[in-house]
Amino acid sequence: MQKQTRIVIEDVLPQLDGGINPIKRIVNQKVNVTAAVFSDGHDIVECCVKFKHEGDEKWQEVRMAPKENDEWFADFKVGKQGFYTYFIEGWVDYALNWQHGTERKIRDNQHVNSELLEGAEYLKSVIIFADDSEKEYLEKVVAYFTNEFDYDKAIQEVTSSHLQHVFKKYPIRLLENKSSELKVYVDRKKALFSTWYEFFPRSASAEEGKHGTFKDCERLLPRVASMGFDTLYFPPIHPIGEVNRKGKNNDTNAKSGDVGSPWGIGSQYGGHKSTHPELGSIDDFKSLVQKAKDLGIEVAMDYALQAAPDHPYVKKFPQWFKWRPDGTVQYAENPPKKYQDILPIYFESGDWKNLWKELLDVALFWIEECDIKIYRVDNPHTKPFFFWGWLIGEIKKKHPDVLFLAEAFTRPKIMNELAKQGFTQSYTYFTWRNSKKELTEYVEELTQTEQKEFYRPNFWPNTPDINPFALQNGNESIHLQKYFLAATLSSSVGIYGPVFEYRVSAPMAPGKEEYLDSEKYEYYKWDWEKQNKITTLITRINTVRNEQSSLQQTNNIIFCDTNNDQVLSFYKFDDEKQNETIMVVNLDAFNTSRAMVKLPNNLLGNLPIKISDLITGNNYVWNKEWNFVELSSELPFHLFKIQR
């Protein structure tokens, strides 16, 4: 390829997969761009980042600043939701090159009359872009450069920073080159910072033995809000299949009165666009969503793409299921788990376009009918990646506020691909990370590798599907520790609420990460008025999260050295470094732990520093690089704010 440019642009970051997939940001975040930009020879090279929102016509630009070894950097702020495009443009800057070369000759006591005449030509090219005051200055300089009697004045102007500023402001771009165009998708703030609470609506009743309703859920909204949760997630609220319905403890033979699993969607009462009759009507659900919104809570729905054997889809659209020679459909499996009450949707169907359209219509129905803005998506890794890219893209075109949480505890590359296809947030392996080494390595992977550009982790200590070994029959301290870690390591956190708060964690059997008497197969009568130390401290932690911007992001984190493997410490800061916090956690759920904590290097120049524990209210002064801490198992953490 023939191309008359002398500029090479390489190693542009951030980018994903050569620009195939966009990086992610939220409104008003910065995109920090770096690249290698250089030319042959010794001429001066300049470059900039150009960017624009998909709804804008004109490009904006930010000049890049040089680092070492031909590396350049700049940043730009994304102010609106939607897609931005950005690229790097570089050029040989002949005006600056002239100024630099002429300065060197002047220092060598060479006569530069000819060079001054060249400079006048560059100035004449710039004048047409300058404002009135700049034009006056430039015309004066042109006069100096072209009049041999003003030689001394001309020499002074050649070396002036004022002239360099003008050349920088109005570059003469010759032989320019540009990088490939890259994209960033910008979400609202909740994509990065959210606090989730999950409970089963059918367990919301205040009466023993009575199925809960949406109206019962309304009664609980003030409690959820008072604890500092901004997202209330419900398992599926649709009619539950009656054919192959599961009994208590996942029994394949349901008895009379067994309510089944909410994920077995569809019955004679409707499918994915209907509500379970015992929960209430769609209008009741609308009322709940609105009352939650009035309290600052968004209701997240479960988007589960599967069908019970008696779902209306099975009769109306049999082509959307894979039938075996004996006339049956193989039920869903995730070995060793078996879901006899669920038929998987057949995405390889010849009628796939109509299938995709219907599944999109389901999601749009709840968005447009009930103002749902958040979906937790069940097992997205068992459906085609590019289906999700299409569906999320179609929804975002009309409803950019809608967010998607991927429930995919699976292989890392699959989890990453779902995030690249558009999922806003993702479940993580945090649930199984317990030691200092495991936690440090995992969080550094999330925050210091390419994942930081697209993978937004949501840390859940437990879910209805996962009763992790660390919590099974666990004491109060381990529950406090796990919530604190989740809520401070990640800017998005969630709990399967009452089970976590009230430490209902007996396993179904030894070696199984499943709950005994799981709420997935029956409804509970909870004492929703009950307060304990766990609920109190969760409330306090959530309050602090809402007050401290350093905890409202995940990536700005530095782990602090400690001399005790049972003590984990980390430092977090917001993008402007206006808010800084230090967390110290005792990982021993049974004993007091003592340790020396080393401050990160960037804080050492400010010693002594004053810190306030935002949990207890105690104040301290740390005046050394290493500082002593002691943490009991009764209150296993410090959350320090650095006072400036």
Side-chain angles (χ1 to χ4, degrees):
M1 180 184 71
Q2 289 183 308
K3 185 176 183 181
Q4 192 184 24
T5 181
R6 295 169 55 201
I7 299 296
V8 176
I9 302 174
E10 296 178 339
D11 303 326
V12 180
L13 294 174
Q15 64 169 287
L16 293 179
D17 307 317
I20 295 173
N21 295 305
I23 63 168
K24 295 177 184 176
R25 293 293 186 273
I26 63 166
V27 171
N28 291 327
Q29 270 192 324
K30 289 180 180 179
V31 179
N32 296 300
V33 183
T34 62
V37 183
F38 54 92
S39 171
D40 59 274
H42 303 288
D43 288 341
I44 290 178
V45 169
E46 289 287 309
C47 53
C48 67
V49 177
K50 287 192 171 184
F51 65 97
K52 73 181 180 74
H53 184 266
E54 59 185 330
D56 295 339
E57 292 185 3
K58 294 183 178 179
W59 292 91
Q60 300 180 65
E61 75 170 51
V62 178
R63 293 294 284 274
M64 302 188 79
K67 296 164 67 176
E68 295 180 352
N69 193 26
D70 293 313
E71 293 183 353
W72 297 74
F73 71 96
D75 62 63
F76 64 92
K77 185 175 283 189
V78 287
K80 297 184 286 187
Q81 288 179 232
F83 280 105
Y84 279 75
T85 301
Y86 62 99
F87 65 89
I88 290 175
E89 185 172 86
W91 61 92
V92 176
D93 198 305
Y94 285 93
L96 288 175
N97 200 54
W98 165 85
Q99 186 184 34
H100 177 66
T102 305
E103 283 180 326
R104 294 180 66 183
K105 291 179 180 179
I106 291 170
R107 287 199 300 271
D108 192 42
N109 294 317
Q110 297 182 31
H111 202 274
V112 292
N113 264 352
S114 179
E115 285 80 359
L116 292 177
L117 294 175
E118 287 183 76
E121 295 303 312
Y122 288 127
L123 292 176
K124 291 174 185 177
S125 299
V126 167
I127 284 175
I128 59 176
F129 302 105
D131 61 31
D132 290 341
S133 64
E134 291 167 334
K135 282 181 181 177
E136 183 179 348
Y137 165 71
L138 293 173
E139 287 169 352
K140 181 177 67 173
V141 176
V142 168
Y144 293 159
F145 284 7
T146 55
N147 188 338
E148 61 180 306
F149 298 105
D150 289 324
Y151 186 80
D152 289 342
K153 292 179 180 178
I155 294 301
Q156 291 177 2
E157 291 301 335
V158 168
T159 59
S160 73
S161 59
H162 192 178
L163 182 62
Q164 184 183 56
H165 172 76
V166 172
F167 281 148
K168 283 267 193 180
K169 186 176 179 181
Y170 304 109
I172 299 172
R173 307 184 188 207
L174 298 173
L175 302 181
E176 67 268 22
N177 197 7
K178 60 176 283 189
S179 69
S180 299
E181 293 186 356
L182 303 167
K183 290 192 180 295
V184 51
Y185 187 79
V186 183
D187 276 303
R188 59 190 174 110
K189 182 178 179 180
K190 198 157 194 171
L192 180 63
F193 175 58
S194 56
T195 314
W196 294 55
Y197 189 87
E198 176 182 4
F199 72 83
F200 286 71
R202 67 189 184 190
S203 294
S205 176
E207 297 181 33
E208 187 74 47
K210 186 175 181 181
H211 195 289
T213 66
F214 295 134
K215 293 298 181 186
D216 291 320
C217 294
E218 288 184 9
R219 174 177 53 84
L220 300 177
L221 291 174
R223 179 184 187 274
V224 175
S226 69
M227 291 183 68
F229 292 97
D230 58 35
T231 306
L232 177 57
Y233 158 54
F234 292 141
I237 60 170
H238 313 298
I240 297 172
E242 297 169 4
V243 176
N244 292 349
R245 175 176 287 191
K246 289 295 187 78
K248 293 181 180 180
N249 284 311
N250 202 20
D251 195 325
T252 54
N253 297 306
K255 298 179 175 58
S256 176
D258 282 345
V259 291
S261 167
W263 284 273
I265 298 172
S267 74
Q268 59 181 313
Y269 300 107
H272 283 74
K273 295 179 185 177
S274 304
T275 57
H276 192 286
E278 290 187 84
L279 290 175
S281 66
I282 288 179
D283 285 338
D284 292 334
F285 183 61
K286 284 185 190 178
S287 172
L288 169 62
V289 172
Q290 184 57 54
K291 285 186 166 69
K293 189 179 298 182
D294 293 342
L295 291 170
I297 298 170
E298 293 188 54
V299 172
M301 283 188 67
D302 199 288
Y303 186 63
L305 301 185
Q306 63 241 2
D310 42 336
H311 192 296
Y313 284 164
V314 179
K315 285 187 177 180
K316 190 173 182 180
F317 303 107
Q319 68 273 25
W320 294 352
F321 302 89
K322 188 174 183 179
W323 298 88
R324 297 187 295 184
D326 63 0
T328 64
V329 177
Q330 172 64 51
Y331 56 75
E333 292 184 286
N334 182 17
K337 295 182 178 180
K338 298 180 179 181
Y339 305 102
Q340 292 91 344
D341 56 338
I342 291 174
L343 304 185
I345 289 173
Y346 184 46
F347 279 87
E348 287 75 27
S349 168
D351 192 33
W352 64 273
K353 288 187 177 180
N354 287 323
L355 169 63
W356 285 27
K357 181 180 182 303
E358 171 62 16
L359 299 179
L360 173 62
D361 286 346
V362 167
L364 289 173
F365 174 83
W366 297 102
I367 294 166
E368 295 170 355
E369 185 72 18
C370 298
D371 201 24
I372 290 298
K373 296 291 177 59
I374 304 178
Y375 280 115
R376 177 268 195 190
V377 179
D378 187 65
N379 278 337
H381 56 291
T382 61
K383 290 83 182 173
F385 296 124
F386 299 115
F387 163 74
W388 293 120
W390 171 82
L391 179 130
I392 294 171
E394 291 298 303
I395 290 173
K396 289 282 193 177
K397 287 177 186 176
K398 297 177 65 177
H399 305 282
D401 278 354
V402 178
L403 310 178
F404 298 83
L405 169 63
E407 187 248 2
F409 299 104
T410 182
R411 304 195 303 278
K413 284 185 171 57
I414 293 176
M415 295 165 73
N416 288 346
E417 184 60 31
L418 290 168
K420 291 176 182 180
Q421 288 295 331
F423 277 91
T424 319
Q425 296 181 0
S426 306
Y427 281 69
T428 69
Y429 300 140
F430 167 78
T431 313
W432 299 277
R433 299 297 185 260
N434 300 304
S435 72
K436 180 178 177 177
K437 184 175 186 289
E438 289 171 336
L439 288 163
T440 301
E441 289 180 350
Y442 186 50
V443 172
E444 287 183 341
E445 176 189 330
L446 292 171
T447 62
Q448 296 183 21
T449 68
E450 183 185 65
Q451 283 184 276
K452 68 182 180 181
E453 303 293 353
F454 67 93
Y455 194 92
R456 296 196 188 103
N458 194 325
F459 279 9
W460 289 66
N462 71 327
T463 77
D465 292 311
I466 303 167
N467 179 15
F469 296 128
L471 292 180
Q472 288 181 13
N473 297 311
N475 64 8
E476 182 179 76
S477 182
I478 187 66
H479 283 76
L480 292 173
Q481 174 211 117
K482 290 296 284 187
Y483 188 77
F484 182 81
L485 286 167
T488 55
L489 286 168
S490 174
S491 54
S492 287
V493 61
I495 53 169
Y496 170 28
V499 162
F500 188 87
E501 292 173 66
Y502 303 139
R503 293 165 44 203
V504 178
S505 55
M508 179 181 287
K512 296 274 190 181
E513 287 191 311
E514 297 178 52
Y515 290 95
L516 179 66
D517 301 324
S518 172
E519 202 175 0
K520 290 196 298 183
Y521 309 108
E522 56 184 290
Y523 56 81
Y524 278 28
K525 164 65 172 65
W526 297 107
D527 181 0
W528 293 101
E529 304 303 318
K530 181 180 177 182
Q531 296 291 317
N532 61 22
K533 186 175 177 180
I534 294 176
T535 60
T536 300
L537 282 171
I538 284 175
T539 301
R540 181 59 192 154
I541 293 166
N542 289 346
T543 299
V544 172
R545 277 167 50 86
N546 282 310
E547 295 170 347
Q548 307 302 318
S549 55
S550 59
L551 301 179
Q552 295 171 17
Q553 59 76 45
T554 301
N555 290 335
N556 298 335
I557 184 170
I558 298 172
F559 284 93
C560 305
D561 290 339
T562 72
N563 63 352
N564 184 341
D565 283 343
Q566 292 298 325
V567 176
L568 177 71
S569 180
F570 48 97
Y571 159 72
K572 297 190 82 170
F573 53 94
D574 61 9
D575 288 342
E576 288 74 32
K577 284 205 172 177
Q578 297 299 305
N579 183 264
E580 300 165 283
T581 48
I582 295 176
M583 280 54 68
V584 189
V585 190
N586 178 10
L587 301 178
D588 188 334
F590 302 97
N591 301 290
T592 295
S593 291
R594 300 170 185 85
M596 300 295 290
V597 176
K598 182 182 179 183
L599 288 171
N601 290 335
N602 64 298
L603 295 178
L604 297 180
N606 300 306
L607 294 177
I609 61 172
K610 296 180 180 179
I611 54 176
S612 297
D613 191 327
L614 300 180
I615 303 299
T616 65
N618 294 330
N619 297 304
Y620 305 88
V621 174
W622 282 6
N623 55 15
K624 298 177 182 178
E625 182 179 11
W626 289 85
N627 298 272
F628 177 76
V629 295
E630 180 176 280
L631 287 163
S632 70
S633 57
E634 284 75 25
L635 185 60
F637 44 77
H638 288 303
L639 202 169
F640 294 127
K641 179 181 180 181
I642 298 174
Q643 304 292 351
R644 292 290 192 183

